[in-house]
Amino acid sequence: MIITVTLNPALDKTLVLNRVSMGEVNRVDSTRNDMGGKGINVSKVLKELGMISTATGFLGGILEEVFRKELKCIGITDEFQSVSGNTRTNIKVVDEERKEYTEFNEPGPEILPEELSDFYDKYHALVKEGDLVVLSGGVSQGVPKEIYGTLTKMAKEKGARVLVDAEGEALVQAIHEIPYMVKPNERELAGIVGKEALNVDEMIHEGEKLVKKGIQLVLISRGAEGSILLTDHHTFMAEGLKVPVRSTVGAGDAMVAALAFGLEMKMNPKEMLTLAQASGAAAVMKEGTQAATKEEIYAHVKDAERKIKEWKR
């Protein structure tokens, strides 16, 4: 089973305008609302790829029932922990003329100690040997920053593999517990080594260090520039695909879903990278955090495969 963890889900409200004028009244051309949060986004893409997942994390307030109904409608198994605080709303603003994508993300509810304790119990009971656990996104107030390390350790003790997509201290703590796979973007990777930015050689060097720690797969996503996948024996460089961009929100989550799908389907690393690149490309062509269909994803596979080369160490 694949289990996705979303500790701070959100209703993603996307506003599309021809041009945004700051300090003035703006007329919105179109809107859409999507159930979101990085782990939920992963589950949505997995469903499009034909793979059922279980989603867990925290839900509360007036949006709780909205999310639970949507999860049931989509066909994602709901194992969320109810909390007293309100699930947040994030605003995504698309300026079509300038091709700018601006996000306003709320902090989310404060998680009480007893709610956190109940979640740990639920998670421990949920994870089984052979499962793949996807830990992705930020955390709510009241949640310790070392939680991804804790959840990684708990899952490994149960015999599960862990895929982590996080940033900052949450990523650092997870790395300490040696998950099976991590997917930092280039900014997140630079951040955990204390730098503003890294060049390609530096990214590969830092990725190799993570592999030497015992992490089996490291994918460094680079947006339009492509991505880099490192294993203990290979380094693959993927060139970005040229596609019309509607929204960059959720592209990384689509890549994570492809990686999780690839692991479950026992794909080799190059096949996984190919599907991840195709998934990311299909995602940016959609508005909001709407999941691309399987057909839309696979339409990019051949192009993605042609743009992958092995980097000689």
Side-chain angles (χ1 to χ4, degrees):
M1 183 167 67
I2 297 179
I3 300 167
T4 64
V5 178
T6 310
L7 297 178
N8 198 9
L11 176 69
D12 290 328
K13 186 175 185 69
T14 302
L15 310 178
V16 180
L17 299 86
N18 181 56
R19 184 182 178 90
V20 177
S21 299
M22 300 304 294
E24 299 181 18
V25 174
N26 288 267
R27 304 298 179 187
V28 176
D29 295 319
S30 64
T31 67
R32 66 171 295 115
N33 295 307
D34 295 291
M35 174 182 63
K38 293 181 73 65
I40 289 176
N41 292 340
V42 171
S43 283
K44 290 191 294 186
V45 177
L46 283 170
K47 182 62 168 60
E48 292 292 340
L49 288 170
M51 190 165 285
I52 301 298
S53 62
T54 294
T56 189
F58 301 112
L59 285 174
I62 60 174
L63 290 177
E64 179 175 353
E65 285 308 309
V66 174
F67 272 57
R68 293 192 187 279
K69 288 179 181 179
E70 184 69 8
L71 289 165
K72 184 177 181 180
C73 180
I74 293 175
I76 298 169
T77 304
D78 174 8
E79 288 289 349
F80 275 89
Q81 172 72 35
S82 291
V83 296
S84 56
N86 292 314
T87 295
R88 63 188 176 142
T89 298
N90 292 338
I91 307 297
K92 321 292 185 182
V93 181
V94 180
D95 184 319
E96 292 200 307
E97 183 177 307
R98 297 188 184 97
K99 301 300 180 185
E100 293 178 347
Y101 313 94
T102 305
E103 299 182 49
F104 299 90
N105 293 344
E106 294 181 357
E110 181 171 359
I111 305 303
L112 303 177
E114 57 269 26
E115 293 169 341
L116 181 61
S117 178
D118 289 344
F119 171 74
Y120 281 138
D121 291 341
K122 177 187 283 286
Y123 178 82
H124 187 268
L126 185 62
V127 178
K128 301 291 191 299
E129 183 176 359
D131 287 348
L132 174 62
V133 178
V134 179
L135 306 176
S136 56
V139 300
S140 299
Q141 302 172 76
V143 175
K145 291 184 178 180
E146 64 270 17
I147 190 168
Y148 276 3
T150 301
L151 297 180
T152 298
K153 183 177 181 181
M154 290 172 66
K156 288 178 63 179
E157 288 174 349
K158 298 291 286 288
R161 293 177 296 177
V162 181
L163 194 170
V164 179
D165 177 19
E167 63 180 315
E169 191 62 23
L171 177 58
V172 170
Q173 293 297 325
I175 288 171
H176 284 329
E177 298 298 334
I178 316 297
Y180 189 87
M181 183 173 188
V182 294
K183 192 216 74 69
N185 61 35
E186 53 188 335
R187 176 185 56 80
E188 292 162 349
L189 182 63
I192 66 172
V193 298
K195 294 186 177 182
E196 288 291 323
L198 300 172
N199 61 38
V200 171
D201 287 338
E202 291 170 329
M203 288 182 221
I204 292 173
H205 177 67
E206 296 300 334
E208 288 175 340
K209 286 165 63 175
L210 294 175
V211 171
K212 288 177 181 177
K213 285 179 181 288
I215 298 172
Q216 299 295 306
L217 295 159
V218 176
L219 179 69
I220 305 164
S221 57
R222 306 179 59 217
E225 298 301 316
S227 58
I228 304 168
L229 179 64
L230 300 102
T231 73
D232 55 350
H233 293 108
H234 302 282
T235 298
F236 294 103
M237 305 283 292
E239 182 183 339
L241 304 184
K242 307 302 181 186
V243 297
V245 177
R246 297 289 294 168
S247 172
T248 58
V249 179
D253 305 328
M255 295 183 76
V256 171
L259 296 172
F261 180 84
L263 286 172
E264 288 296 284
M265 298 300 291
K266 296 180 171 40
M267 291 181 177
N268 64 45
K270 186 176 180 180
E271 291 171 333
M272 289 170 57
L273 180 58
T274 299
L275 186 60
Q277 285 293 111
S279 296
V284 301
M285 296 174 67
K286 310 290 285 188
E287 288 187 352
T289 53
Q290 180 183 6
T293 65
K294 181 177 181 179
E295 291 73 24
E296 288 169 334
I297 292 169
Y298 276 88
H300 299 284
V301 164
K302 288 185 178 179
D303 192 20
E305 186 177 15
R306 285 194 295 267
K307 295 188 176 184
I308 295 175
K309 297 179 180 179
E310 185 164 1
W311 178 279
K312 300 302 181 182
R313 293 181 177 176

